[in-house]
Amino acid sequence: MKAVLCPEPGRLEIVERAPVPAPEAEWVRVAVSHVGICGTDYHIFAGKHPFLEYPRVMGHEVSATVIANGPGTTIAPGTPVVVNPYLSCGDCVACRRGKPNCCTAIKVLGVHTDGAFCEEILVPEGNLYPAVDLSPEAAATVEFLAIGAHAVRRAAAPAGARALVIGAGPIGLGTAIFSRIAGHVVTLMDTSTERLDFAADRLSFGSGIIADEACRRCVAEATGGDGFDVVFDATGHGGSMEAAFGHVAHGGTLVFVSVVKDDIRFSDPEFHKREMTLIGSRNATREDFDHVVNSIREGLVPVETLITHRTTMDAVIKDLPRWAHEKSGLVKAIVRIAAA
């Protein structure tokens, strides 16, 4: 079986690996079709992921087709599927509460265990969601979009709420799209005029706010001095996350979609006088995946606009290192694994 391996930071290579064995009970063997490249993959390649052991086969944004069933499974061979890459234990406190997305022993394909930059993988049947009526490329975008959909659901902001999404990268754009689907009035903030222009010109969002020294004044002007009802920070930048507290209206909500290794500090008096709600949002659940799939089917998600770069399994060993540095115009890159 052919796979793309990252044996150490800064290097990718095509390798031959042993064929995937027959699936055990409740597991399914799938043929990988397409895989999205995530910011996590770029961090793994650059050696910046704090909890990863090399060598590693990356890839966790996956569309596939069922090819063999283990005992006790019912999904039919030939079924196109979206792969939920979060492998949970099923027994911990989070899993017992229906939150496998924050399982205490979670393993994410392509991070804690080998992922889908290869021809076939084994996945628990419960992590496979039918992708009928979705193109294989569109199905490979579902996981990253589900991150934003989960954050929006966690916020529980009503239709009509004024929402600020900080960070116009793929996760931020996905969050903004699902905030708009929820009926929010969405504003984007980013340090990059190119990203804000893309969001305005290609995704029909407003002009946005540049994250600079004047951004607090711009937030006040945009909200009549009130601040935003809900703020989503999808930057993965500690300074931005700390500054986000100041953009929230009294009685509003701040959602941290991204995560950093740093400590986050904030003014307790400012936090309390607003009676803010602070929410962490991690990964996604079946409910979020289903919402994304249905939204794509209904034409509410401009998948073709979000997919800006394409490559193949053979070419990705040159393209991914290049895209790790050449970010202009890049939103989502998709790798075709299956033979044409």
Side-chain angles (χ1 to χ4, degrees), residues 108 114 215 246 293:
V108 180
D114 281 345
C215 70
V293 169

Side-chain angles (χ1 to χ4, degrees), residues 100-111:
N101 57 302
C102 58
C103 168
T104 62
I106 197 167
K107 292 183 178 180
V108 180
L109 291 175
V111 181

